């Protein structure tokens, strides 16, 4: 297929760049023509080649590129599905127009007997009419069955085509050659053939409607993307379609407008409502340099921003892609069913033939009509779709529901594992606490002042990236303290830092650091323990061998951590806190949020070992951390929850990514997992029970006991409704409510 | 007559077992890196595709069937699933690293295809 692909190119500054980009594009296999428009910073490429390869080629040439793709795919899909839905309803109506009078005529005895001189031509006419309706309303079953047969496959179409086809052929034989059939078996089943086709089409239409609701979450996410954007070109603001927005363009956002692409604010400030992506209810303040992402709503001020991610590269597009991918994945619970579903239809065909033979041999010619009815009913009642749908449809709704709460589940397996968890390990900083520590106390040793303690501590930490260091430097800035230059800065993992100042080696860190350097901390030890008992982190400061003081830093506990921990415990989970912080501080924090078990003073690289130890005790363990520092522990855990903040999410880093910072997201994810697994089990139970009871009843197992033969039309209705029931049950998951409010 | 019908019935059962479970449909050899697959009438055409191990292959699905049955294609062994647009191509590129047969199906297992890695 030859198609045109439009790319937005950034980084081009001259005509030479145009030539480079064009050459790079031309060199991609499959490209027939590539034209770069320097003024618009776009490229139009024709040829049989994927956009990904073109973007890659431009990037390798030293520029940036992204595909400029329209957002109409979803609308096209919906239009096609709606047309298909209407077609199914039309076919249902046509089949019903013939089928219903036939049923009434047959049951009410209004039609002439088959073997009369008047009856034969009338029934023949009805047979031909039935054939016409079957071709119009059920032709797709026969086409599908034949195509599947040719590739050694059998599907739902096979069953419907064989069932209705057998009913029609038998009826025609009865009408044309009545003498070849025993008199008691002379019955035509034209009405059954058309009514079954009407019911199966109606079932398909109802299923389509119900399934439409299962992708509501994705549709809602797609709906966040505005159709147009207001770009500033040559000093003028103009509205353009979203697929015309390129990289590096300046865009204007006014109050109440939705942000069309990702970018950085270059002028103005505002507050932005990101709740639709993160589930976080409060608007976030944004100013020059801050990032804004597509789909979020500008609440108050007006601002200009520069686009940096467009099309499929925006955070919103990536989230949609991730949710879609997860919705299509299957947990282990669905794999066995897949195997059953894969061999189900041929197995039903065998059962149908066996049913005929058993009836034929046991009932003899007198019960030939029962043999035909039972065979057709077995074919019609069997529903592989209900089996095949049971797992994926629940996963689809469950994963979508989670996305509405700002919870991105990587795949069905993660969802299933989350339902089996027994213990959950929480990182402290940024997970239980806010993750933005601040200096709370300065305790000088004798001969020193608070200011001297802060000045020295901040001077030591100015080269560090650690959040605690940031808090100390920030406190010094607020007091307008001038920092000294230090030499030989060294971060000592899990202990603190050291650096040289005016020839003295200075240390700032925990007890272990002081002990390793032989520094006497006796003077301030009690005070340090007291601060730790208040959930603060005391750090000793020393110059040479002399203790200078203590800097205490505290990271406030998130408002809702205690409530979320309670929810996790109510879900039957053992909650453990894992931290590199000192034991006393960790225990104080744990006490405040209601956690009983604390593993403190753990080196970052040892966190995964502690997870492993818990797993060796036979527990299914989850780890909740920030996704970057805790990556090995997240990977080691049976389910890793990366807790993010806002839309700055590490999408690929964990089994479950929480876009909002609250621990309630973990409880919600686990609750959704429980609900989804319960839903899958209900669906599987229903589908298995339906088929394993329905097929024997259809085969006539109740006839010897109760004299009951199932009507093939009832079988058709049951089959049509079985899929609808599975989809409707999965739809119940849409009503899941977070326990965070309660 | 009774024996004839019984024999025919048993022969039909054997034929079902042979056709659907034992005999394999024709295999399509890839020409170049890309294979186009039509998604319509309940089947993938072609449905069995042969490809060498450790070589990337791009399968471009063109969905003509607007029913939800055809909506997704799932390669469960590769942990890949994709939503197929109607009347448009959707390309999936993968590099099989072990020889064997890998099924790809719709959500309900009614559309079925096999990637044969040699």
């Amino acid at each position: 297929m030859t198609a045109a692909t439009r790319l937005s190119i950034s980084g081009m500054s001259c005509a030479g760049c145009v030539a480079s980009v064009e050459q790079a594009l031309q060199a991609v296999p499959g490209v027939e023509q590539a034209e770069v428009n320097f003024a618009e910073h776009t490229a139009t490429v024709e040829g049989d080649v994927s956009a990904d390869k073109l973007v890659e080629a431009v990037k390798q040439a030293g520029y940036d590129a992204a595909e400029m793709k329209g957002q109409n795919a979803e609308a096209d899909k919906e239009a096609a599905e709606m047309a298909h839905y209407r077609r199914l309803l039309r076919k249902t109506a046509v089949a019903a127009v013939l089928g219903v009078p036939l049923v009434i005529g047959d049951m009410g005895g209004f039609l002439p007997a088959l073997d009369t001189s008047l009856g034969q031509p009338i029934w023949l006419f009805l047979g031909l009419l039935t054939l016409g309706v079957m071709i119009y309303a059920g032709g797709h079953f026969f086409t599908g069955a034949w195509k599947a047969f040719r590739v050694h496959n059998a599907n739902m179409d096979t069953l419907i085509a064989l069932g209705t086809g057998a009913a029609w052929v038998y009826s025609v034989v009865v009408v044309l050659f009545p003498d070849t059939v025993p008199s008691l078996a002379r019955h035509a089943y034209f009405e059954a053939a058309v009514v079954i086709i009407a019911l199966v089409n109606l079932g398909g239409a109802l299923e389509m409607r119900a399934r439409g609701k299962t992708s509501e979450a994705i549709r809602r996410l797609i709906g966040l993307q505005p159709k147009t954007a207001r770009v500033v070109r040559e000093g003028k603001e103009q509205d353009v379609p979203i697929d015309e927005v390129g990289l590096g363009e300046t865009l204007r956002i006014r109050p109440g407008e939705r942000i069309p692409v990702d970018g950085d604010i270059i002028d103005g400030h505002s507050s932005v409502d990101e709740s639709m992506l993160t589930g976080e209810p409060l608007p976030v303040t944004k100013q020059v340099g801050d990032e804004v992402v597509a789909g979020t709503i500008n609440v108050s001020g007006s601002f200009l921003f520069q686009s940096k991610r467009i099309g499929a590269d925006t955070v919103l597009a990536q989230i949609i892609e991730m949710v879609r991918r997860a919705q299509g994945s299957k947990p282990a619970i669905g794999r066995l069913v897949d195997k059953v579903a894969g061999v189900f239809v041929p197995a039903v065909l065998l059962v149908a033939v066996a049913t005929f033979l058993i009836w034929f041999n046991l009932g003899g010619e007198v019960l030939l009509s029962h043999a035909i009815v039972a065979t057709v009913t077995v074919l019609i009642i069997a529903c592989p779709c209900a089996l095949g749908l049971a797992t994926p449809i629940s996963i689809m709704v469950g994963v979508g529901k989670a996305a509405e709460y700002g919870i991105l589940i990587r795949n069905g397996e993660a969802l299933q594992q989350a339902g089996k968890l027994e213990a959950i390990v929480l990182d402290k900083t940024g997970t239980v606490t806010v993750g933005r520590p601040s200096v709370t106390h300065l305790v000088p040793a004798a001969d020193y002042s608070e200011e001297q303690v802060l000045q020295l501590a901040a001077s030591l930490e100015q080269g560090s990236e650690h959040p605690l260091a940031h808090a100390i430097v920030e406190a010094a800035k607020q007091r307008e303290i001038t920092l000294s230059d230090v030499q030989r800065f060294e971060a000592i993992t899990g202990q603190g830092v050291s650096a040289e100042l005016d020839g003295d080696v200075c240390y700032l860190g925990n007890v272990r650091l002081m002990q390793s350097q032989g520094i006497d901390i006796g003077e301030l030890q009690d005070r340090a323990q007291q601060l730790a008992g208040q959930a603060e982190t005391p750090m000793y400061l020393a110059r040479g061998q002399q203790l200078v003081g203590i800097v205490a830093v505290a990271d406030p506990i998130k408002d809702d951590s205690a409530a979320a921990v309670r929810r996790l415990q109510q879900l039957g989970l053992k909650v453990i806190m894992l931290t590199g912080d000192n034991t006393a501080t960790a225990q104080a924090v744990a006490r405040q949020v209601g956690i009983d078990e604390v593993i403190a003073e753990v080196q970052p690289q040892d966190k995964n070992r502690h997870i492993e130890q818990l797993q060796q005790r036979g527990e299914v363990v989850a780890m909740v951390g920030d996704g970057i520092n805790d990556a090995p522990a997240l990977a080691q855990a049976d389910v890793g929850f990366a807790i993010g903040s806002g839309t700055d999410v590490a999408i690929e880093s964990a089994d479950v990514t929480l876009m909002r910072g609250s621990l309630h997201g973990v409880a919600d994810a686990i609750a959704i997992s429980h609900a989804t697994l319960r839903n899958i089990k209900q669906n599987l139970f229903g589908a298995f029970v339906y088929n394993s009871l329905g097929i024997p009843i259809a085969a006539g197992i109740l006839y010897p006991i109760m004299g009951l033969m199932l009507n093939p039309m009832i079988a058709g209705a049951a089959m049509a409704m079985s899929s609808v029931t599975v989809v409707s049950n999965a739809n119940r998951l849409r009503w899941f409510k977070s326990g965070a409010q309660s | 007559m009774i024996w004839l019908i019984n024999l025919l019935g048993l022969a039909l059962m054997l034929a079902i077992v042979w056709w659907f479970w034992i005999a394999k449909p024709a295999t399509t050899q890839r020409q170049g890196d890309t294979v186009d697959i039509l998604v319509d009438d309940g089947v993938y055409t072609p449905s069995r595709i042969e490809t060498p191990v450790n070589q990337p292959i791009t399968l471009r699905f063109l969905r003509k069937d607007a029913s939800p049955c055809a909506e997704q294609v799932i390669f469960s062994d590769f942990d890949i699933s994709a939503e197929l647009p109607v009347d448009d191509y959707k390309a999936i590129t993968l590099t099989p690293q072990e020889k064997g047969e890998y099924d790809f199906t719709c959500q309900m297992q009614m559309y079925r295809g096999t990637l044969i890695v040699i």
Side-chain angles (χ1 to χ4, degrees), chain A residues 64-101:
Chain A
D64 197 11
E67 188 186 10
M68 299 172 83
K69 198 173 178 184
Q71 302 294 314
N72 296 326
E74 191 64 18
D76 292 348
K77 181 185 147 220
E78 278 183 23
E81 285 182 354
M82 186 47 75
H84 185 69
Y85 171 72
R86 291 204 183 105
R87 211 161 36 240
L88 284 175
L89 285 185
R90 217 167 32 240
K91 288 180 174 185
T92 303
V94 169
V97 162
L98 176 65
V100 172

Side-chain angles (χ1 to χ4, degrees), chain B residues 35-93:
Chain B
V35 177
D36 286 351
I37 298 172
L38 180 68
V39 184
D40 199 15
D41 287 327
V43 287
Y44 296 124
T45 311
S47 63
R48 283 173 69 85
I49 298 140
E50 209 170 85
T51 185
V53 71
N54 287 325
Q55 279 194 28
I57 179 168
T58 300
L59 302 172
R60 292 199 316 168
F61 290 86
L62 176 60
R63 174 185 168 197
K64 288 287 181 188
D65 179 358
S67 74
C69 310
E71 192 172 34
Q72 285 200 323
V73 62
I74 299 166
F75 293 75
S76 48
D77 295 309
F78 296 93
D79 208 13
I80 291 174
S81 67
E83 195 173 308
L84 305 179
V86 184
D87 281 331
D88 198 1
Y89 284 91
K90 172 76 184 181
I92 293 171
T93 301

Side-chain angles (χ1 to χ4, degrees), chain A residues 41 50 116 153 207 209 250 281 299 314 390 396 525 566:
Chain A
H41 280 64
S50 74
T116 61
N153 194 7
E207 188 190 322
R209 282 299 285 261
T250 302
V299 179
T314 63
M396 196 159 177
Q525 202 165 11
R566 225 170 15 251

Side-chain angles (χ1 to χ4, degrees), chain A residues 441-520:
Chain A
H441 287 94
L442 295 164
V443 185
D447 304 331
Y448 289 95
S449 67
E450 281 191 11
E451 188 153 325
Q452 283 173 309
V453 170
L454 186 57
Q455 198 274 342
L456 181 55
S459 300
L460 289 179
E461 291 281 28
Q462 59 189 315
S464 170
E465 298 285 327
H466 198 278
L468 295 183
H470 181 76
I472 294 169
V473 175
E474 199 57 34
K477 265 191 206 165
Q478 280 172 7
R479 294 193 189 193
E480 295 178 351
I481 293 173
T482 309
L483 304 186
S484 309
D485 286 334
V486 294
Q487 284 84 42
R488 296 197 177 87
F489 172 83
E490 192 186 345
I492 306 157
T493 308
Q495 295 188 17
V497 297
S498 72
E500 260 186 46
L501 181 67
D502 299 333
D504 293 329
V505 183
C506 304
Y507 302 95
L508 178 67
N510 58 20
V511 178
R512 262 180 294 157
L513 179 65
M514 297 298 127
Q515 283 170 346
S516 69
Q517 299 306 321
I519 298 164
D520 179 15

Side-chain angles (χ1 to χ4, degrees), chain A residues 160-178:
Chain A
I160 305 300
L162 281 177
T164 56
W168 188 84
V169 169
Y170 176 78
S171 304
V172 168
V173 169
V174 168
V175 171
L176 288 180
F177 313 106

